[in-house]
Amino acid sequence: MRTSAILRGVRLSAQKGRLVADQIRGLSVEKALNILAFSPKKGARIIKKVLESAIANAEHNDGADVDDLKVKTIYIDKAESLRRFTARAKGRGNVILKQTCHIFVAVGDGK
């Protein structure tokens, strides 16, 4: 049994999100939530909400036991970048790309 949760277009770069995702991949949800709760990174707060959503989906939709759940898969894909401009000398402009990403979390029983 696998249950997933997806968050699209979050204002976090994929590179920074993957640092947090690599820490919890394959762990039980109890350990993963504990790691995310005490991590100082911005991505940890966001990924924790997605993981809690996946746990709630598994409990409500599939009737899974929360104590047996593990983080089966978690991956973060790059999404479209927000394009912003800043003024430069002599009437020019520079592009600032504000990165976004999609977060996919799937939980399942430990078997």
Side-chain angles (χ1 to χ4, degrees):
M1 182 256 336
R2 274 171 60 119
T3 310
S4 62
I6 301 171
L7 179 62
R8 295 185 189 274
V10 65
R11 273 284 290 121
L12 175 75
S13 73
Q15 184 177 10
K16 291 178 181 178
R18 287 184 191 120
L19 290 174
V20 178
D22 291 341
Q23 291 180 332
I24 64 167
R25 188 173 286 118
L27 295 178
S28 68
V29 293
E30 182 182 348
K31 284 185 181 178
L33 287 173
N34 195 20
I35 288 172
L36 293 174
F38 293 104
S39 177
K41 297 188 175 292
K42 173 185 175 181
R45 241 182 24 250
I46 297 168
I47 292 174
K48 182 179 178 203
K49 286 187 176 185
V50 181
L51 179 60
E52 287 172 343
S53 176
I55 294 167
N57 289 345
E59 187 177 16
H60 183 265
N61 298 342
D62 299 333
D65 185 21
V66 177
D67 298 330
D68 297 336
L69 292 178
K70 291 181 110 177
V71 179
K72 288 293 190 183
T73 58
I74 177 169
Y75 59 95
I76 299 177
D77 288 338
K78 184 179 182 314
E80 51 283 332
S81 300
L82 300 173
R83 295 175 62 89
R84 300 292 182 256
F85 293 92
T86 184
R88 300 301 293 187
K90 298 184 180 178
R92 296 188 191 107
N94 273 5
V95 179
I96 297 173
L97 296 176
K98 296 188 178 254
Q99 302 294 330
T100 61
C101 66
H102 303 311
I103 301 173
F104 303 89
V105 177
V107 296
D109 47 7
K111 299 168 186 122

